[in-house]
């Protein structure tokens, strides 16, 4: 068979933490990393915080990690880039306000064509 005497080099990886990351507000060591991966620390405002300090994670941070085997890089990327499936913010709502069926039926729709009103009346 093939003998591979090539020494595998570790791969360094940095991930920017977005505002919808699942890791916001938790400590670095609370994240479960794949096998053969380890944290180096966090880069925040041009300052590096070591993983031994166990810093909290904020939006805009870069999580610095290492994969000791190249096959683990995709798993490390997926792990560190986890986000909430829906964007949320305490200051704004991105959901569009739409009238409910009863609001649409009870409103004065005299200037709206009848074929538009039939969309709301399908549930009757």
């Amino acid at each position: 068979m093939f003998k591979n005497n090539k020494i595998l080099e570790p791969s360094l990886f940095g991930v920017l933490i977005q505002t919808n990351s699942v890791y916001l507000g938790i400590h670095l060591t609370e994240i479960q990393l794949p096998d053969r991966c380890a944290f180096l620390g966090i880069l925040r405002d041009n300052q590096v915080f070591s993983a031994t300090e166990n810093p909290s994670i904020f939006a805009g941070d870069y999580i610095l990690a290492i994969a000791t085997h190249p096959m683990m890089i995709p798993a490390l990327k997926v792990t560190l880039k986890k986000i909430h499936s829906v964007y949320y913010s305490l200051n704004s709502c991105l959901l569009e306000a739409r009238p409910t069926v009863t609001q649409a039926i009870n409103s004065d729709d005299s200037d709206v064509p009848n074929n538009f009103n039939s969309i709301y009346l399908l549930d009757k």
Side-chain angles (χ1 to χ4, degrees):
M1 285 287 165
F2 298 111
K3 289 188 178 182
N4 188 356
N5 293 330
K6 180 181 176 186
I7 298 174
L8 297 174
E9 293 185 22
S11 299
L12 299 174
F13 189 66
V15 174
L16 175 64
I17 299 300
Q18 303 291 328
T19 56
N20 58 344
S21 171
V22 298
Y23 302 123
L24 286 181
I26 69 169
H27 292 281
L28 189 62
T29 57
E30 293 179 44
I31 301 173
Q32 290 275 352
L33 286 182
D35 292 337
R36 297 184 175 192
C37 297
F39 288 116
L40 298 175
I42 289 180
L43 175 65
R44 178 183 303 142
D45 298 325
N46 295 322
Q47 186 176 6
V48 176
F49 296 92
S50 172
T52 57
E53 297 176 36
N54 196 21
S56 294
I57 300 168
F58 299 107
D61 287 353
Y62 280 91
I63 294 180
L64 307 173
I66 187 170
T68 60
H69 193 283
M71 286 181 35
M72 298 310 296
I73 295 172
L76 182 59
K77 285 181 182 180
V78 168
T79 299
L80 295 180
K81 290 185 176 186
K82 285 184 182 177
I83 58 172
H84 291 284
S85 58
V86 176
Y87 176 81
Y88 65 94
S89 170
L90 297 176
N91 298 328
S92 63
C93 179
L94 299 177
L95 298 175
E96 183 180 331
R98 296 184 184 197
T100 63
V101 173
T102 55
Q103 289 173 333
I105 292 172
N106 294 334
S107 67
D108 181 21
D109 294 327
S110 58
D111 60 336
V112 179
N114 286 335
N115 60 355
F116 180 77
N117 291 338
S118 62
I119 294 171
Y120 294 104
L121 301 176
L122 289 176
D123 292 341
K124 274 192 166 182

